[in-house]
Amino acid sequence: MPSRLLTQLREAIRLRHYSIRTEKAYVDWVKRFIRFHGMKHPASMGPADVARFLSWLAVERNVAASTQNQALNALVFLYREVLRVELGDLNSTVRAKRPKRLPAVFTEREVMDVLSHLEGEHWLMAALLYGSGLRLMECVRLRIKDVDFAYHCIVIRDGKGGNDRVVTLADALADHLRVQIARAHALHERDLLEGYGSVSLPYALARKYPNAARELGWQYVFPSVHRSIDPRDGVERRHHVDPSGLQKVVRKAIVKAGIERRASCHTFRHSFATHLLASGADIRTVQEQLGHRDVRTTQIYTHLLERGASGVISPLNRLLAIPWKKK
């Protein structure tokens, strides 16, 4: 495996301030691409080789369209930003099918049932996903300074697409959040006494404001139990909680609640949007709360607000209401 190439790839990703999750995903796809072609260096390959790999993912591995797109994005980034080569036409690639799926949505009763099987920090995080329409990573990355109790809102920094937005904070969660922030504060004070207490900062803020990383406001609302070594600079810090922890307990809670259809943490966000629309909220308001670039993305949540399929009433309803006489 060409280690120098991977080092250059990581440097290019960090230069553009991509997340650590994106960095890991891109590096992994480049490794798979190289292994697929018998350890050949990407510089010796071109568009046809990329198309063959992407087609193999769709045909042989039967990956989802989103997975194939992520692989494509990683390879386009490698060639354009590291190797300085434009891949050009990839029309020969067999594209993975993108099925048209409606989002899973909890009923209001189901929301309460799932939450009733959660407790502590996990309950609060799941309640925020539903109460504010947060994505999972927006919740775990939430910083103390971005919770505004005075204005009953939460500021989401660098969300999907790199955009900021302001979302509502449910009044019912305010006291729970204050308790959680107090716990994070106590943990931060202990870290400071032990000679630690800094947190990772976005972009170049650590250089611009050397002391900001140790300030309370920049600490995570949901900090990890243990400190860990930051893979980017080797510094021991306290990161946010692992999102997989919440995902696991939510899956168990869904089973305990007796919900048999497919659902996950993201279902809380879908439910937030659908229930807001059902309560009479304007679709543009819901779009802003969710951070959708296009209102057409938000319109999918109107599917459960219609009666049946596109408002069609089944003719069986009328027939069963008729008092038929037996012959």
Side-chain angles (χ1 to χ4, degrees), residues 248-259:
K248 290 175 184 177
V249 297
V250 166
R251 279 197 295 267
K252 291 179 181 178
I254 290 170
V255 173
K256 290 179 180 178
I259 300 172

Side-chain angles (χ1 to χ4, degrees), residues 198-214:
S198 69
V199 70
S200 61
L201 296 181
Y203 312 142
L205 285 176
R207 292 192 299 273
K208 189 175 182 180
Y209 305 106
N211 297 321
R214 298 168 69 86

Side-chain angles (χ1 to χ4, degrees), residues 182-192 223-226 238:
R183 290 173 181 161
H185 189 181
L187 200 57
H188 178 55
E189 289 293 328
R190 193 179 76 187
D191 284 343
L192 289 172
S224 174
V225 176
H226 304 288
R238 191 175 297 278

Side-chain angles (χ1 to χ4, degrees), residues 142 167 178 191 263 325:
L142 185 61
V167 301
R178 287 189 177 96
D191 284 343
K325 294 181 179 180

